[in-house]
Every structure is written in C-alpha cells, then in structure tokens.
C-alpha cells in the first residue's frame, strides 16, 4: 500500500492521455477547475476512502478522451480529465491505495456524426 501525503492527488490528464501525481491541498477548487478545464465539477466515489473529481459537463463537451479506472471490484468511467483524492470530509486526506490493484485505461470515444 502506498500512503501519499495529504497534499498529493492523482491527475488523469485527458489532453496528454496520462496519469500523474500533482500537489493539491484541498483548500480551493480553483486548481481542480484548471486541471480539468471546466467550470463545474462532480465527484465519483472510487471506494469509501477515495473520490475522483470530474467535469460535470464532460459528456456534453466536444471531448473524445476519457478514462476507465478499476480499483479492486469497482470500475468507473468518465469523459475528460479527473482528479483522484483521499476523502475524509470536510478535508482532503492522503491517498491510500494499493497501486498494484489500480488499473487505469485511456478511452477514446467515437462520437456519432451529426
């Protein structure tokens, strides 16, 4: 298991089609809006200790890249970028994952022609 400090998050970067660690203190959503390139975020629960911030309007935008994240028996999919953080309301807590159990896939969506 890897326990990162409470200022570390995992960014799923759709533009570059990679996942990378970033510094996020949870004080404000402003960096999340910048990383996800959006104005409105939603959360997806990965497990009882982790959430992923995603673009709430990702499906409605002209984006064709997303991610499929599988951790243990849970799979989540989203369009655009996402930010995985540890969840301990009201504060962000350290990520505590066994990274060998984390499967990250980049998905390219094909949109039907109008």
């Amino acid at each position: 298991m890897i326990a990162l400090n409470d200022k570390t998050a995992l960014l799923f970067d759709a533009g570059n089609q990679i996942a990378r660690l970033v510094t996020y203190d949870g004080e404000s959503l402003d960096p999340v809006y910048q990383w996800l390139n959006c104005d409105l975020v939603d959360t997806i629960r990965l497990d009882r200790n982790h959430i992923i911030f995603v673009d709430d309007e990702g499906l409605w935008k002209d984006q064709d890249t997303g991610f499929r994240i599988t951790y243990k028996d849970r799979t989540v999919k989203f369009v655009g970028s996402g930010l995985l953080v540890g969840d301990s309301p009201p504060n962000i807590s350290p990520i505590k994952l066994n990274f060998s159990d984390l499967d990250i896939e980049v998905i390219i969506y094909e949109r039907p022609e109008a």
Side-chain angles (χ1 to χ4, degrees):
M1 172 163 315
I2 294 180
L4 301 172
N5 71 45
D6 60 350
K7 293 184 175 25
T8 303
L10 184 58
L11 175 64
F12 304 103
D13 181 347
N16 294 309
Q17 299 182 1
I18 62 168
R20 62 186 168 93
L21 294 175
V22 295
T23 300
Y24 177 59
D25 61 14
E27 301 269 331
S28 164
L29 286 176
D30 291 340
V32 178
Y33 295 135
Q34 290 177 338
W35 285 320
L36 304 187
N37 192 27
C38 70
D39 298 317
L40 186 62
V41 296
D42 200 353
T43 58
I44 299 172
R45 182 153 299 281
L46 183 61
D47 65 10
R48 71 173 29 172
N49 299 313
H50 301 90
I51 59 171
I52 303 171
F53 288 108
V54 296
D55 181 354
D56 189 54
E57 300 172 325
L59 287 172
W60 305 109
K61 293 181 177 176
D62 190 23
Q63 299 183 66
D64 60 358
T65 303
F67 289 88
R68 178 183 297 121
I69 312 300
T70 304
Y71 182 65
K72 297 185 178 179
D73 294 328
R74 171 99 165 115
T75 299
V76 298
K77 294 189 290 189
F78 54 91
V79 177
S81 297
L83 185 72
L84 173 70
V85 297
D87 175 37
S88 180
N91 301 313
I92 300 300
S93 64
I95 295 173
K96 295 176 183 167
L97 295 173
N98 186 346
F99 278 81
S100 64
D101 292 333
L102 185 66
D103 184 34
I104 304 167
E105 287 181 73
V106 175
I107 301 171
I108 306 299
Y109 292 93
E110 293 187 26
R111 298 198 176 265
E113 293 186 29

